[in-house]
Amino acid sequence: VSPPTGTIARPTLGSGTATMSGTVTLANSTTLRGLALSTGASTGLTDPASALTSVDVDQTSVATTTGTGLALSDIGGTVKLAALTSNGGTGANLTGSNSGATFDFTGVAISSGANPGLAATGGGTIRVTGTTNTIASTTGTALNVSNTTIGASGLTFRSISANGAVNGIVLNNTGATAGLAVTGTGAAGSGGTIENTTGDAVSLTSTRDASLSWMTISDNLGNGIFGSSVTNFTLASSTVDNNADDDATDEAGIKFGNLLGTASITDTTVSNSLEDNARIVNSSGTLSQLTITNSTFRDPAAASPGNNGLLLQADGTASITADITGSSFLR
């Protein structure tokens, strides 16, 4: 309904005007407002097998227990949720060909267990905003954004945790606009704990503006934090301890290849890595400013392999400018 010019603004329907316990399957040119989905073990919001266009979802919330909150694989349009919660199931599974879609979430509280937390791998644009968003998984990857653009307002989470997954966080080919911020609350470990992964705890490839604060990244079989072709990176008030198990591939507590732009490591301890605690090797491009402040790099005991506390290496045409103050390099 299009009101005539001069009509006073109509009130929003909110996200709880009507509550529904079953699955909602979208169709072409769907407009959905004012619905609170609470589906238990069932999927909340999904699409049919065919491609959809002109989807418009807003003022809507989705809550599940062991079900999947969103399962969308081939849509175009906008899906904006005021809340997305799960307790044992996948929060959002955004796979297939969503190249014409924009996903905009707030109020994310996902506890996914052995299932993926939030997986956006089918294209399009995704944003997660707000100060209370959380993802916690056990053996499921908590956050995976691959071949999907992170929108201008970025992905903001208070905490992201995983225990026993292949990876805790994966960002791969996420565009040149914005990145991920894990903020914590100002207390140790409040940004989440990623532990006991069989691969890299945090894997960053062709992404930008990743910022991790108040996190604990420990006891992972791959690199604690791995990055390749990353522009701008921040690690603050965190612990990266006892990571890596393969010296043949030079795994490390923190390992970057071609880290560009600006980067900082502040008030962080990186310790007991199999080989290097932190390793940044660039073959081209410019890391214009790497700032390391009030941080500790501690090698393992003499009986363990150990290697460099911090390795900075610029090969070929690469350039690295570093400023290291107030930090300790210990054994």
Side-chain angles (χ1 to χ4, degrees):
V1 177
S2 298
T5 302
T7 301
I8 62 173
R10 292 168 292 173
T12 61
L13 294 174
S15 60
T17 303
T19 301
M20 187 173 185
S21 60
T23 299
V24 171
T25 302
L26 299 173
N28 278 324
S29 303
T30 296
T31 297
L32 180 61
R33 297 286 189 277
L35 189 63
L37 284 169
S38 181
T39 62
S42 299
T43 297
L45 195 64
T46 190
D47 53 14
S50 57
L52 301 182
T53 59
S54 303
V55 170
D56 183 4
V57 178
D58 199 353
Q59 302 168 41
T60 294
S61 65
V62 178
T64 70
T65 54
T66 56
T68 297
L70 277 76
L72 302 173
S73 61
D74 197 355
I75 71 167
T78 300
V79 176
K80 185 174 183 179
L81 298 184
L84 172 62
T85 63
S86 74
N87 187 14
T90 299
N93 189 12
L94 311 174
T95 60
S97 177
N98 292 316
S99 58
T102 297
F103 303 101
D104 196 343
F105 304 149
T106 58
V108 173
I110 296 171
S111 178
S112 60
N115 301 295
L118 193 163
T121 62
T125 299
I126 185 168
R127 300 186 289 263
V128 179
T129 57
T131 60
T132 62
N133 302 309
T134 61
I135 304 177
S137 72
T138 55
T139 56
T141 297
L143 177 67
N144 182 359
V145 180
S146 298
N147 302 312
T148 300
T149 298
I150 298 175
S153 50
L155 307 177
T156 301
F157 289 88
R158 185 178 66 194
S159 67
I160 299 177
S161 297
N163 187 345
V166 177
N167 311 105
I169 296 172
V170 176
L171 301 179
N172 185 356
N173 189 27
T174 61
T177 304
L180 166 70
V182 179
T183 64
T185 63
S190 60
T193 298
I194 299 178
E195 58 189 340
N196 301 316
T197 62
T198 58
D200 300 329
V202 178
S203 179
L204 310 172
T205 305
S206 299
T207 189
R208 64 177 298 118
D209 300 322
S211 176
L212 310 176
S213 299
W214 302 103
M215 296 194 72
T216 299
I217 299 170
S218 65
D219 302 302
N220 299 288
L221 296 183
N223 300 285
I225 300 172
F226 169 80
S228 175
S229 299
V230 175
T231 300
N232 305 335
F233 173 75
T234 298
L235 179 65
S237 304
S238 295
T239 298
V240 181
D241 181 64
N242 194 34
N243 294 289
D245 74 334
D246 188 351
D247 56 0
T249 58
D250 294 322
E251 289 181 339
I254 300 171
K255 180 179 178 178
F256 279 96
N258 286 347
L259 175 61
L260 307 178
T262 62
S264 65
I265 300 173
T266 307
D267 298 319
T268 290
T269 297
V270 189
S271 57
N272 299 316
S273 306
L274 179 68
E275 286 199 24
D276 300 329
N277 278 316
R279 175 186 178 89
I280 300 173
V281 178
N282 289 356
S283 60
S284 62
T286 300
L287 178 55
S288 59
Q289 185 64 60
L290 169 64
T291 303
I292 299 176
T293 308
N294 298 333
S295 294
T296 299
F297 299 81
R298 185 185 298 274
D299 282 342
S304 300
N307 202 5
N308 299 297
L310 171 66
L311 172 65
L312 304 178
Q313 183 172 320
D315 295 331
T317 60
S319 172
I320 297 175
T321 300
D323 185 0
I324 303 170
T325 58
S327 297
S328 301
F329 297 84
L330 307 172
R331 188 173 185 85

